[in-house]
Amino acid sequence: NDSRIIYEINNQDANRYSYFKIPLTIGYELSFKRFSFEINAGIEYSRLVKASGVSFKKGYVDVGIRPYPYYFYNDMVATTYSNNSQALKINNWNYVGNFISRVRVTPSFDLYSSLNYQYQQQNIMSDSYLLEKTYKRFGFNFGATYYLNSRLSLKDQVTPKFQ
């Protein structure tokens, strides 16, 4: 088991974090005859599901830890997140935003592209960990949307009136 963990430490090229995320956004859509543009912004709850990679912790004797210190920290040694799960916060909040453009091909079919932004202002590491990590993430998506029920054209839409 020790040799497997030491191998994992020596051959890890990146730390990876997997989250389950629930966004809460508000937005506005501008619709035209064949095009629409939408902008959304809000917050997102994320819960850590899995982490892999190299972590650091205090001490010299532990399963899978390299026998020598790292950088300028004489009391810190390398281990994996599986041996140091308390290094990461489980629950986090993020800011999110996106811009979506759609082209209506038929009443049931759209092509879309979106630009996404996510900003993690809080430290994802626990308060006792030696490093602070935040991140910004940009993404671009494109694809197609198929609607099971045909959408109404703009002239067929009726604004509800309340009495």
Side-chain angles (χ1 to χ4, degrees):
N1 191 2
D2 288 355
S3 61
R4 180 189 59 81
I5 294 175
I6 291 171
Y7 176 82
E8 188 178 333
I9 291 171
N10 290 331
N11 294 296
Q12 189 71 39
D13 59 348
N15 290 348
R16 301 191 189 282
Y17 313 106
S18 299
Y19 290 92
F20 173 73
K21 299 178 179 185
I22 301 172
L24 177 63
T25 60
I26 188 167
Y28 187 76
E29 181 180 14
L30 293 169
S31 293
F32 303 100
K33 189 171 187 171
R34 290 245 181 236
F35 301 98
S36 70
F37 301 99
E38 183 179 334
I39 188 165
N40 298 300
I43 59 173
E44 178 181 75
Y45 167 75
S46 60
R47 180 166 179 84
L48 182 67
V49 176
K50 180 181 175 187
S52 64
V54 177
S55 174
F56 299 94
K57 67 189 259 185
K58 290 185 180 283
Y60 288 105
V61 180
D62 192 11
V63 176
I65 292 182
R66 288 183 184 173
Y68 49 90
Y70 270 81
Y71 304 112
F72 300 107
Y73 300 99
N74 291 328
D75 61 344
M76 301 299 287
V77 290
T79 186
T80 61
Y81 281 113
S82 59
N83 282 347
N84 193 18
S85 59
Q86 68 274 14
L88 292 166
K89 288 183 182 173
I90 303 298
N91 301 303
N92 292 296
W93 290 94
N94 312 315
Y95 297 109
V96 293
N98 60 43
F99 176 79
I100 304 168
S101 62
R102 294 183 182 275
V103 177
R104 184 182 291 185
V105 179
T106 69
S108 297
F109 187 72
D110 284 352
L111 297 175
Y112 74 89
S113 65
S114 69
L115 177 64
N116 307 305
Y117 174 73
Q118 180 181 22
Y119 176 57
Q120 172 71 36
Q121 183 179 11
Q122 297 172 316
N123 182 12
I124 65 170
M125 309 307 288
S126 67
D127 295 333
S128 62
Y129 196 68
L130 76 144
L131 299 175
E132 289 188 9
K133 292 184 182 181
T134 60
Y135 61 88
K136 295 176 185 174
R137 185 177 64 131
F138 293 91
F140 183 73
N141 298 325
F142 60 93
T145 304
Y146 178 76
Y147 300 92
L148 295 176
N149 295 323
S150 297
R151 293 174 296 166
L152 297 173
S153 68
L154 289 177
K155 61 183 169 187
D156 294 333
Q157 292 180 1
V158 177
T159 304
K161 295 180 181 177
F162 299 100
Q163 295 176 341

